[in-house]
Amino acid sequence: MAAPAKPLAVTLGEPAGIGPDITIAAWLRRRELDLPAFYLRGDEALIARRAKALGADIEIASVSPGETETAFADALPVVATGKHVTAEPGKPDASSAPAALASIREAVADVRAGQASAIVTNPIAKSVLYRAGFRHPGHTEFLAELAEADGRVPQPVMMLWSPRLAVVPVTIHVSLRDALTQLTIDLIVSTVRIVATELRSRFGIAQPRIAVSGLNPHAGEDGSLGHEEQTVIAPALKVLRNDGIDARGPLPADTMFHEAARSLYDCAVCMYHDQALIPIKTVAFDDAVNVTLGLPFIRTSPDHGTAFDIAGTGKANPASLIAALKLASRMAAANS
């Protein structure tokens, strides 16, 4: 598949975490892996300090998004946010939250202005952002607000994707108690519709096969272990099938994820966060990619956290970021 016409915008993530480390590591492997051109929205001085700490001999180019292609072969392109960072590896400070948020906002502005083809976000530390007044449950919900148009905020759908398994939780960053309250026919229907649409438009799957889990053990065992399968999930599936969507279920979650079962569908839609994320992090911990569906732009992200304990040590594995770059490029090319 051809590369997209515009570069990818990579966000800084938590400056004291491993975002800078894995961005540098990915750029160093650009030729070996034939990576798409990308630039980092961040602080050039921070990247220079982190490269020195890692013993990475790299050139850094301060560029505009349009200059990325020219610079990428010989230097890591950095587009400044104007937020300078003092945080040391593993030690977030008062500069962390403003720098992380500015990077996200400006990367979104770049892609919406047509200067970047997609956004690849490095991991943030929500606890650090919360102390600075951040009011969103996570990255996904913040991006949805930034995507607001004409007073309407799109419904973000979180997908975890790997070559072996793709999963979507219907309810995302809420407690299990709140997930049960939020789970409705309408939410399941709108989520699966978005999944089906984007599997076709951005993943090139003409007839997506979507497996939908039950909520309760054994998918409720015909009502003996819970009624949500009969009162919420099955009615939602009826609506989806009437739409022409190949939505199968409700299926027992404990038998959906072995190898033979995975071959029967393109994506598994689950009812709550851990029901979806435990299996994919078991089978694809290093190379799973977080993809936000339902937005007017493409966003992917590594499927791991900030790893403060290894920031600046050279131990961070860039595999998930590399996978996120490749998938963003693939999706952008399919969407062009």
Side-chain angles (χ1 to χ4, degrees):
M1 184 174 289
K6 302 292 184 180
L8 305 176
V10 177
T11 67
L12 180 61
E14 165 52 54
I18 62 170
D21 305 38
I22 59 177
T23 302
I24 291 167
W27 181 81
L28 287 170
R29 298 185 66 185
R30 67 201 180 283
R31 293 192 180 93
E32 170 197 351
L33 300 174
D34 192 26
L35 293 182
F38 64 84
Y39 62 86
L40 178 70
R41 263 289 185 180
D43 178 13
E44 182 180 348
L46 167 71
I47 299 305
R49 292 197 306 272
R50 189 62 62 88
K52 183 177 180 180
L54 296 169
D57 183 15
I58 67 169
E59 294 292 327
I60 301 169
S62 180
V63 299
S64 67
E67 296 169 324
T68 298
E69 295 278 356
T70 302
F72 187 73
D74 300 312
L76 172 58
V78 177
V79 179
T81 61
K83 298 293 184 183
H84 298 295
V85 181
T86 57
E88 296 296 327
K91 301 176 181 178
D93 64 21
S95 69
S96 285
L101 294 175
S103 180
I104 298 166
R105 288 193 186 98
E106 294 180 23
V108 169
D110 290 346
V111 77
R112 300 195 78 180
Q115 295 179 302
S117 62
I119 299 167
V120 180
T121 59
N122 268 309
I124 56 173
K126 285 179 282 188
S127 61
V128 175
L129 298 183
Y130 291 154
R131 291 197 293 272
F134 188 69
R135 56 184 178 79
H136 300 276
H139 232 145
T140 303
E141 295 83 1
F142 182 45
L143 288 162
E145 183 177 278
L146 294 176
E148 178 181 345
D150 301 323
R152 300 185 64 181
V153 177
Q155 178 188 343
V157 171
M158 183 174 78
M159 171 186 280
L160 277 294
W161 179 92
S162 78
R164 295 179 294 284
L165 175 64
V167 298
V168 167
V170 174
T171 60
I172 309 177
H173 296 116
V174 294
S175 71
L176 186 55
R177 185 184 301 277
D178 288 342
L180 297 177
T181 302
Q182 289 185 11
L183 195 64
T184 63
I185 295 171
D186 287 346
L187 182 60
I188 295 169
V189 168
S190 62
T191 299
V192 176
R193 281 175 174 164
I194 290 169
V195 172
T197 296
E198 299 212 17
L199 286 176
R200 286 192 292 265
S201 65
R202 291 182 170 171
F203 288 81
I205 301 172
Q207 298 293 331
R209 303 165 300 165
I210 300 171
V212 179
S213 77
L215 171 69
N216 298 295
H218 304 174
E221 200 77 76
D222 292 326
S224 63
L225 296 177
H227 297 280
E228 287 84 0
E229 286 75 16
Q230 298 166 317
T231 61
V232 180
I233 303 172
L237 291 173
K238 182 177 180 181
V239 173
L240 292 163
R241 290 168 189 148
N242 287 339
D243 286 350
I245 294 172
D246 183 356
R248 309 168 182 189
L251 303 173
D254 63 348
T255 58
M256 284 178 60
F257 299 106
H258 61 83
E259 187 174 1
R262 298 198 305 268
S263 70
L264 301 176
Y265 58 81
D266 300 299
C267 180
V269 173
C270 301
M271 296 301 108
Y272 56 92
H273 183 279
D274 284 9
Q275 194 181 48
L277 270 65
I278 288 172
I280 195 166
K281 290 193 176 186
T282 300
V283 303
F285 186 80
D286 288 327
D287 59 359
V289 177
N290 188 335
V291 186
T292 305
L293 309 179
L295 301 178
F297 50 80
I298 294 163
R299 178 261 180 152
T300 67
S301 181
D303 181 29
H304 57 66
T306 54
F308 285 130
D309 57 324
I310 59 170
T313 67
K315 296 179 181 178
N317 185 348
S320 188
L321 176 61
I322 289 167
L325 291 164
K326 289 183 174 182
L327 182 60
S329 179
R330 167 187 160 185
M331 293 173 69
N335 204 51
S336 61

